[in-house]
Amino acid sequence: DDDDDDDDDDNNDGDILCFLPTENDVEDAVAMAETALSAPSARPRTKPAVCLPLHASLPSRLRSQPFLPRTPEELRTKSRRIVFAAETSVAVPNASHVVDSGFVKTPFFDPSSGCRRSVVHPVCRTDADRRAKRAGNVRRGKCYRLYSEEYLRHSMVETAMSAPEIRRCDLTEAILTVKALGVNNALSFDWMTVPTAEALAYGLECLFALGVVDENTELTELGKEMVYFPTDPRTSRMILAALDMESRYYERGYGNDDDEDDDNDNDNPHDENGISAMTAKLIVGDIMTVAAAMQVRSLIYPPKNER
C-alpha cells in the first residue's frame, strides 16, 4: 500500500521480508512456508523460493545469511528469498515486498517484581512506517499490513512498550554510574528522558541491599570499587565477594597442596571454624575461575592486599 503498481516486473521480482513478533513464530512460519512451497499442487504456479529465518538466537553464520550474496544454486534456479525476521525493523538487501504482522516483542523490566520479561504487543505507528520503508530501499515495492487501514490511522497509538528504553529497563547500573560522576541525588538528576519513580526507587533499594550506598544514598567503599567493573552491579558484587573468599581461603592455609596437609585434611575433615576441607576446595575452584577471568581488574584497581 506504499507504492503504486506501475510495473509488473517490480511486483513479481525481489525478495520478501516478513516481520513476526517472536522466534517461535519465525520457526513456525519457515516450516509452514517450506511445506507449502514443496507441495505438489504449488510447484507449477510458484516461483522457486528459499526461506530464511532471522532472529537473535541463531548462530552468526545463519543470522548473516539473508545479507550475503546469493549462492550459485539460487542464481541457477532464480530463487526468491523469503526472510522471516523477529525484529522491530531490519533492512534486507533486494527486498521489494514487506509483510507486517503488526506485532513486536519488547523487553520490559517490572520494578514492582524486579523481573525482566518480554512482552508481545502491537507495534506503534513509527515502527509500522519504518517497516513499510524497508520495501523501497533498492526498488519500488509494496508493504502488506495484516491489519486495517482504519486501525493504522485512528487506533494505532504510541504504547507504553514503545517508550524510550530508559523507561523500560533496570536503572541500577545507571544510578551507580550517576553516583560515581558526583551526583548526590539521582532523583533530581537532569535525565534526557525522565524515568519512572518506581524504577528509580527500585534501583536505589537494590544498591542499598548490595551495600553500594549507605543510608544517605552515598557511595560506600565497596561501591567505589564496583564502579570500575563493566558488569551489572549484582555481578560485580558477586565477583568482589568471590575475591574476598579467595583471600580468606589462603589466609586459613587451604592453599597448600602438600601431601602432609592432604593427610591432615583427611584425618580432620573440619577446621577450627567448622568449615569442611572438601567444601573449601569446592569453593576455591569457582573462586579461581572468577579470579582468572577478572585479572584485568588488577590493572584498573589495586587488590585489597596491595592497598
Side-chain angles (χ1 to χ4, degrees):
D1 60 347
D2 294 315
D3 296 306
D4 295 332
D5 186 5
D6 295 336
D7 191 352
D8 291 339
D9 292 338
D10 288 341
N11 292 326
N12 296 327
D13 197 7
D15 296 335
I16 302 175
L17 175 59
C18 304
F19 288 102
L20 299 173
T22 65
E23 301 168 359
N24 292 334
D25 294 333
V26 168
E27 299 297 338
D28 293 343
V30 169
M32 293 173 61
E34 290 178 345
T35 302
L37 292 172
S38 61
S41 59
R43 291 177 182 175
R45 57 186 177 86
T46 58
K47 184 178 180 179
V50 177
C51 300
L52 301 176
L54 179 61
H55 53 79
S57 298
L58 289 173
S60 59
R61 178 180 60 84
L62 298 178
R63 193 166 57 248
S64 61
Q65 191 170 357
F67 307 99
L68 298 177
R70 299 181 183 275
T71 62
E73 180 64 20
E74 293 176 358
L75 295 175
R76 185 183 65 82
T77 59
K78 298 181 180 180
S79 298
R80 164 185 285 176
R81 287 182 174 180
I82 305 177
V83 181
F84 297 91
E87 304 285 347
T88 302
S89 179
V90 63
V92 175
N94 202 39
S96 60
H97 300 269
V98 168
V99 179
D100 183 8
S101 65
F103 290 92
V104 65
K105 184 175 73 170
T106 304
F108 176 74
F109 178 77
D110 186 5
S112 60
S113 61
C115 297
R116 296 180 178 89
R117 53 193 176 95
S118 297
V119 180
V120 177
H121 61 92
V123 296
C124 62
R125 189 175 303 170
T126 303
D127 291 338
D129 294 340
R130 188 181 296 113
R131 287 180 173 184
K133 293 178 181 179
R134 300 310 181 205
N137 286 339
V138 295
R139 63 175 70 199
R140 298 178 65 87
K142 279 181 172 290
C143 175
Y144 304 89
R145 294 188 170 109
L146 304 185
Y147 45 90
S148 64
E149 184 178 359
E150 181 181 0
Y151 173 78
L152 173 67
R153 298 188 182 279
H154 303 289
S155 301
M156 183 176 288
V157 295
E158 296 291 335
T159 62
M161 298 301 171
S162 61
E165 186 177 0
I166 195 172
R167 299 181 66 90
R168 297 184 284 106
C169 66
D170 183 10
L171 297 179
T172 306
E173 186 174 359
I175 294 176
L176 177 59
T177 303
V178 169
K179 289 285 186 182
L181 294 175
V183 179
N184 294 327
N185 190 357
L187 300 178
S188 62
F189 180 71
D190 188 15
W191 303 90
M192 184 174 294
T193 300
V194 180
T196 61
E198 293 81 2
L200 288 171
Y202 174 84
L204 288 173
E205 291 176 0
C206 182
L207 292 177
F208 179 76
L210 295 174
V212 180
V213 297
D214 55 16
E215 294 82 355
N216 299 322
T217 68
E218 296 181 357
L219 282 179
T220 61
E221 294 299 325
L222 177 64
K224 294 177 181 178
E225 289 190 32
M226 292 173 57
V227 169
Y228 293 92
F229 285 81
T231 56
D232 181 80
R234 302 169 185 84
T235 306
S236 304
R237 183 66 180 90
M238 289 188 292
I239 294 173
L240 287 174
L243 295 174
D244 290 340
M245 291 177 66
E246 180 191 7
S247 300
R248 290 197 298 268
Y249 173 84
Y250 285 105
E251 288 175 359
R252 290 171 179 170
Y254 290 118
N256 277 330
D257 294 332
D258 297 338
D259 295 338
E260 182 179 353
D261 293 338
D262 293 339
D263 295 338
N264 294 335
D265 289 342
N266 294 330
D267 295 338
N268 185 14
H270 295 275
D271 64 356
E272 63 276 5
N273 295 323
I275 300 177
S276 171
M278 181 179 297
T279 303
K281 290 183 178 180
L282 292 175
I283 292 176
V284 77
D286 295 335
I287 295 171
M288 293 301 294
T289 302
V290 174
M294 297 302 298
Q295 284 183 0
V296 69
R297 172 181 179 270
S298 61
L299 302 177
I300 303 174
Y301 201 80
K304 288 185 176 181
N305 57 2
E306 295 179 8
R307 291 204 299 268

